[in-house]
Amino acid sequence: FLSERLRQSDAALAQRFAIDWEQIDGENRLVKGSLADPKNYTIFGSPVLAVADGTVVSARNDLPEQVPGALPANLPIAEADGNFIVLDIGGGAYVLYAHLQPGSVLVGAGARVKRGEVLGKVGNTGNSQAPHLHLHVMDGPSPLLSNGIPYVFDDFTITAIDSAGTPDFDKAEATGTPLTLTPFTPPRRFQNVLPLDLSVVEFSR
């Protein structure tokens, strides 16, 4: 209903329910070593998996890595998502995976994929200031002109939260200091919901 009203008003907000996924190491750091080298970020190179069975609508694989630390200047809007994949998962829902490593995207338009299949690797391409995986679900195949729609994850566990908030996360990303985490003892399992911001999430394999 909300999506239809937005279409009627010619408004679109594709990233309404987007998540930027990053990863910590055993010391609760996002990055260790030179901040200018994307390889030093914990998540860099991690596999990107299909969240559901689907068909690839579009993909890109040729854009170079950005130097972490700041968003790139004067980036064309067509390169904002960097190397990406759009996956049609049926029922009018499409998934965007953005900022992937150059040369890592393993699928192209028309490819059929299965849930859990490796699609590429996390990188720092496009409009990105640190390696991460941008993921959102939308009601059309265009990452910019579609409306974001809500989605849930089947099953995950939250082991901690960054109780110090966004400034603490931003500091950890900008300096390499550990996150200030409040552990959940025991960890809390959730099903069929969307995790909240600043949560440390583990998925069962």
Side-chain angles (χ1 to χ4, degrees):
F1 174 71
L2 175 61
S3 176
E4 181 61 27
R5 290 185 62 185
L6 286 169
R7 283 190 180 282
Q8 292 174 0
S9 65
D10 292 325
L13 185 57
Q15 298 189 27
R16 184 187 302 274
F17 301 101
I19 295 180
D20 284 343
W21 292 94
E22 297 201 34
Q23 190 173 20
I24 56 175
D25 65 10
E27 299 177 336
N28 297 334
R29 298 177 189 269
L30 300 166
V31 54
K32 189 172 183 178
S34 170
L35 302 178
D37 186 347
K39 297 182 183 67
N40 290 332
Y41 290 74
T42 308
I43 198 170
F44 186 81
S46 293
V48 173
L49 309 180
V51 296
D53 295 353
T55 302
V56 177
V57 174
S58 57
R60 186 163 187 173
N61 200 23
D62 64 329
L63 292 173
E65 299 287 1
Q66 302 288 358
V67 177
L71 294 174
N74 304 315
L75 189 74
I77 193 167
E79 298 181 7
D81 293 323
N83 300 314
F84 71 91
I85 299 165
V86 174
L87 184 64
D88 179 354
I89 60 173
Y94 299 78
V95 183
L96 171 68
Y97 307 82
H99 312 302
L100 308 183
Q101 279 189 24
S104 76
V105 176
L106 300 176
V107 292
R112 291 282 302 166
V113 302
K114 294 292 186 181
R115 176 175 172 167
E117 184 176 336
V118 176
L119 305 179
K121 295 180 180 179
V122 176
N124 190 50
T125 58
N127 193 45
S128 177
Q129 65 183 15
H132 70 284
L133 173 65
H134 174 99
L135 184 142
H136 71 247
V137 182
M138 52 198 177
D139 65 0
S142 171
L144 294 175
L145 300 179
S146 303
N147 284 304
I149 55 178
Y151 54 98
V152 298
F153 289 94
D154 292 343
D155 194 345
F156 61 89
T157 299
I158 293 181
T159 61
I161 60 170
D162 189 342
S163 55
T166 300
D168 182 66
F169 179 89
D170 291 343
K171 178 183 177 183
E173 185 180 78
T175 66
T177 56
L179 291 167
T180 305
L181 297 181
T182 300
F184 284 179
T185 306
R188 300 178 189 175
R189 183 182 179 190
F190 296 86
Q191 294 179 302
N192 299 317
V193 296
L194 188 68
L196 296 179
D197 192 25
L198 302 175
S199 300
V200 180
V201 176
E202 291 185 356
F203 293 99
S204 59
R205 296 183 181 274

